[in-house]
Amino acid sequence: MATLRRAVTYIPWLVSVISGASLQRIAEPFGYNPTKVGFYIYVPDALVPHPPVLVDPHWCHGDANAAFRGSQFATLADKYGFIVIYPDSPNTADKCWDVSSRETLTHNGGGDSLGIASMVRWTLDKYGGDKGRVFATGVSSGAMMTNVLMGSYPDMFAAGSAFAGVPFGCFAAPGNNSGVYGYWNDACATGKVSHTAEEWKAIVEAAYPGYSGWRPKLQIFHGTADEVLSYNNYNEAVKEWTAVLGLSTTPSSVTEDTPAKGWTKSVYGPDSWFEAYSAAGVPHNIQVQEDTVMKFFDLACKGDGCFKWGKGGLHSKCRRSRN
Ligand SMILES: *[C@@H]1O[C@H](CO)[C@@H](O)[C@H](O)[C@H]1NC(C)=O
C-alpha cells in the first residue's frame, strides 16, 4: 500500500491539479538520517526571498503524499511563497513516527526527529531560507512529532501547531528506550500518563541538557471525544508547555466558539506563547484549521512588518533573538 501511494507521487498530472509545482522526493544525501526518514518537499514556483519553512509530518498509516494532499498548506505555500517539507516515516509496519526512543527525544541524538532536523538544515541552506521562520504542524502521530520537534530542537523552530497529539515524552518507551523506535505507548494513548508540571518540564529540558535559549511558541488542538489519543493528553500538554515556557497554568483569556462552534480557545501568558483549543464532541479525526495555524505562524504576512514576535521584540530578555 505504501509503495502504491508513493508511486502516485510521481504522476505529475495528479499533483498539478493541486498547484503549479509538484511534490518532489529528495533522493540525494541531505545530512545525518540514521533511521532513513523519507524526504519529500514542496517548493512553490514563486518563493519569497528567504522563504519560511513549514514541516508537516503525516499521521499513522499515512505518508508524505497523504499529508501533502490532506491539507491546504501546499496551496497556501503557492500563495505565500514558503516551502513545505513532508517527511515520510520509515516505519513500514504502521507508518507512525518515532516518538518513543531516547534518540528522537534528544537534541541531535538520532531517531526520526534528527532525520527531519537534517531536512530542515538542508532546505535552509539550499534555498537561503529564513532560520527564524521554521515551523511544524501535524495531526495525530504528526502532532506527536510536532511536540517532539519543539522539545528536541527548540533552537530550530519558531513555533508549532499540533492537532490531536500527546505531550513531548509521553510516548517514550519505558525503561531503557535507546533504540526503541516503533513503540506504541498504550498508557499515554489511553490517558494514563500523568505528571506534575515540574516533572513534564524536567522531561522536556532533559532533551537538551544545559540549553537556555529560545523556546518556540506552540498551539495545541484536541477533541474531547478523541477515541484514539485520550483527551487527558490535552491537560497534560497544558501542564507541560506552560511549565517549560514559564507561564501560569491559568489562562490569560478564554474565548468560546473559536475557530469553530464548540471549540474553546485558551491563551496562556500575555502574548499567546501557548494556546490550547478544546474541541467539544470532536473525535480523533479533527479538522485542521489552516487559517488559525497560518495566523499563529504569521505565515500569511508578507513584507517588513511581519513576524515581529519572532525577532526578539517580545520576550527578547529571556529568548534569544532569531535574526
Ligand atoms: C540502553 O540500551 C542501549 C542499546 O541497547 C545500550 O547500549 C545502553 O548501554 C543501555 N543503557 C543503559 C543505561 O542500560
Side-chain angles (χ1 to χ4, degrees):
M1 196 61 193
T3 315
L4 180 68
R5 285 194 189 139
R6 192 165 298 181
V8 169
T9 305
Y10 298 107
I11 302 172
W13 57 261
L14 188 64
V15 289
S16 70
V17 173
I18 298 172
S19 58
S22 61
L23 187 65
Q24 297 169 254
R25 186 171 80 88
I26 304 299
E28 67 188 76
F30 55 86
Y32 194 35
N33 181 24
T35 57
K36 299 189 166 56
V37 180
F39 183 5
Y40 292 78
I41 192 168
Y42 183 73
V43 182
D45 292 336
L47 285 176
V48 292
H50 305 296
V53 175
L54 174 64
V55 180
D56 187 2
H58 58 75
W59 45 90
C60 291
H61 305 287
D63 60 14
N65 192 49
F68 170 63
R69 302 196 311 166
S71 77
Q72 296 168 31
F73 289 116
T75 304
L76 290 161
D78 281 334
K79 191 168 174 190
Y80 296 106
F82 60 89
I83 295 170
V84 191
I85 293 172
Y86 295 98
D88 196 274
S89 166
N91 179 354
T92 50
D94 60 10
K95 294 293 281 182
C96 296
W97 289 106
D98 162 28
V99 289
S100 57
S101 73
R102 173 62 22 215
E103 288 81 357
T104 208
L105 297 171
T106 303
H107 181 73
N108 284 343
D112 289 359
S113 68
L114 178 55
I116 294 172
S118 293
M119 292 173 200
V120 170
R121 290 171 180 143
W122 181 91
T123 302
L124 289 170
D125 188 50
K126 172 149 177 118
Y127 295 97
D130 186 343
K131 289 193 172 85
R133 286 191 291 167
V134 179
F135 307 96
T137 187
V139 182
S140 190
S141 188
M144 295 191 205
M145 179 49 85
T146 297
N147 276 267
V148 167
L149 292 170
M150 296 307 123
S152 291
Y153 296 89
D155 53 335
M156 176 172 283
F157 290 89
S161 180
F163 291 81
V166 302
F168 177 97
C170 192
F171 247 59
N176 181 356
N177 58 347
S178 180
V180 187
Y181 299 119
Y183 182 78
W184 180 264
N185 191 318
D186 203 54
C188 179
T190 55
K192 295 186 187 77
V193 173
S194 180
H195 292 294
T196 65
E198 284 309 306
E199 287 166 351
W200 279 124
K201 181 174 189 256
I203 288 168
V204 173
E205 290 183 346
Y208 196 167
Y211 179 74
S212 61
W214 166 276
R215 288 280 172 187
K217 62 177 197 171
L218 180 66
Q219 58 179 190
I220 64 164
F221 302 78
H222 215 117
T224 63
D226 194 316
E227 74 286 15
V228 177
L229 298 175
S230 166
Y231 178 71
N232 288 354
N233 286 302
Y234 172 92
N235 290 314
E236 296 303 314
V238 169
K239 278 190 277 178
E240 175 174 88
W241 292 111
T242 54
V244 169
L245 298 170
L247 306 173
S248 167
T249 50
T250 306
S252 51
S253 75
V254 176
T255 317
E256 305 289 339
D257 297 322
T258 305
K261 186 151 173 51
W263 295 40
T264 301
K265 173 186 181 181
S266 298
V267 173
Y268 295 84
D271 55 5
S272 291
W273 218 262
F274 181 71
E275 299 181 347
Y277 294 79
S278 175
V282 169
H284 190 58
N285 188 16
I286 192 168
Q287 180 62 50
V288 174
Q289 304 292 327
E290 286 92 340
D291 288 351
T292 305
V293 177
M294 291 289 290
K295 203 169 172 216
F296 190 62
F297 293 170
D298 215 6
L299 264 179
C301 183
K302 288 177 171 178
D304 289 343
C306 302
F307 203 62
K308 293 290 189 211
W309 58 270
K311 292 196 165 160
L314 293 168
H315 287 270
S316 56
K317 285 189 288 299
C318 55
R319 293 186 176 92
R320 182 168 60 80
S321 164
R322 298 186 63 92
N323 283 317

